[in-house]
Amino acid sequence: SLPRSYIYQKRWVKLDADYLRYFDSEKDAYSKRFIPVSSIARVAGVGDQKFEVITNNRNFVFRAESDADRNEWIRTLQQIAEERKSKALERTLVSPTANGATDPADKSGFLELRGFKHKLFVAVAGDKVFLYKNAEDYRLGIGITYIEMNVGNVKEVDRRGFDLTTPYRIFR
């Protein structure tokens, strides 16, 4: 069978200790997708300039601008994933009940968000509001974006609606 051909879209990708996130552009404050570092099982090169981020249930293929750049992404991702695993192991040894996953949500459920056709699954955990495509993605931890509420505030708009306002965007 023919190899699947992918259509690549140029994205600005950011990696920190907790998440691999991608954005439409480097100016955007809110990601199109986030993948928790804790859910990354493996990272592997797959042909020229390309690498695959393998999570427990979904794979993401990225193409870098050069092989050298690709190799650096792989090395950095592997390193962060390893650090994450050893920290999780330490936590398990210290207190076996501590879960490596994100904190349980303070409140979660479906909301309609202006600009999206379908209802999103929204979870409030600590000082962040996480947006997911659906409940399954929430369970997997793979989301659209999160809003830090230390820069946001909430205002009731009408009987069922409210605005979550941040310096970068209003979520209605």
Side-chain angles (χ1 to χ4, degrees):
S1 69
L2 289 168
R4 278 201 316 224
S5 65
Y6 294 97
I7 293 176
Y8 290 91
Q9 292 174 312
K10 200 162 200 166
R11 294 285 185 248
W12 182 253
V13 183
K14 267 186 192 172
L15 173 66
D16 62 33
D18 298 311
Y19 298 103
L20 175 66
R21 294 180 289 167
Y22 58 84
F23 302 78
D24 272 335
S25 84
E26 57 187 293
K27 293 181 182 71
D28 284 355
Y30 296 105
S31 59
K32 308 282 291 178
R33 204 89 176 112
F34 67 79
I35 305 159
V37 169
S38 57
S39 74
I40 297 174
R42 276 188 324 112
V43 186
V46 285
D48 293 347
Q49 300 166 303
K50 296 191 277 285
F51 65 95
E52 195 168 28
V53 173
I54 298 149
T55 71
N56 307 332
N57 27 51
R58 208 172 290 173
N59 300 353
F60 300 86
V61 178
F62 293 91
R63 188 171 71 196
E65 292 184 332
S66 68
D67 282 346
D69 192 32
R70 186 265 317 258
N71 296 343
E72 202 173 320
W73 274 104
I74 292 175
R75 199 179 64 243
T76 309
L77 275 158
Q78 284 173 337
Q79 190 182 332
I80 284 183
E82 282 310 307
E83 283 168 13
R84 195 69 204 233
K85 283 191 186 87
S86 61
K87 278 203 189 87
L89 189 64
E90 277 170 38
R91 271 203 304 275
T92 313
L93 298 172
V94 174
S95 83
T97 53
N99 184 356
T102 44
D103 301 329
D106 300 314
K107 167 101 184 103
S108 64
F110 291 95
L111 288 175
E112 293 169 37
L113 179 64
R114 190 181 56 199
F116 286 86
K117 283 199 293 283
H118 306 287
K119 284 184 178 172
L120 297 182
F121 194 86
V122 179
V124 180
D127 59 353
K128 291 184 179 69
V129 177
F130 294 87
L131 307 180
Y132 299 89
K133 275 187 179 161
N134 50 43
E136 195 207 353
D137 277 8
Y138 167 65
R139 203 173 46 74
L140 303 177
I142 295 169
I144 298 168
T145 195
Y146 58 83
I147 305 149
E148 307 211 21
M149 286 308 293
N150 58 358
V151 298
N153 58 58
V154 181
K155 189 178 88 217
E156 203 174 317
V157 175
D158 56 37
R159 204 164 50 82
R160 294 197 311 153
F162 61 91
D163 280 356
L164 203 159
T165 307
T166 77
Y168 318 103
R169 183 174 161 188
I170 296 171
F171 297 86
R172 173 155 282 176

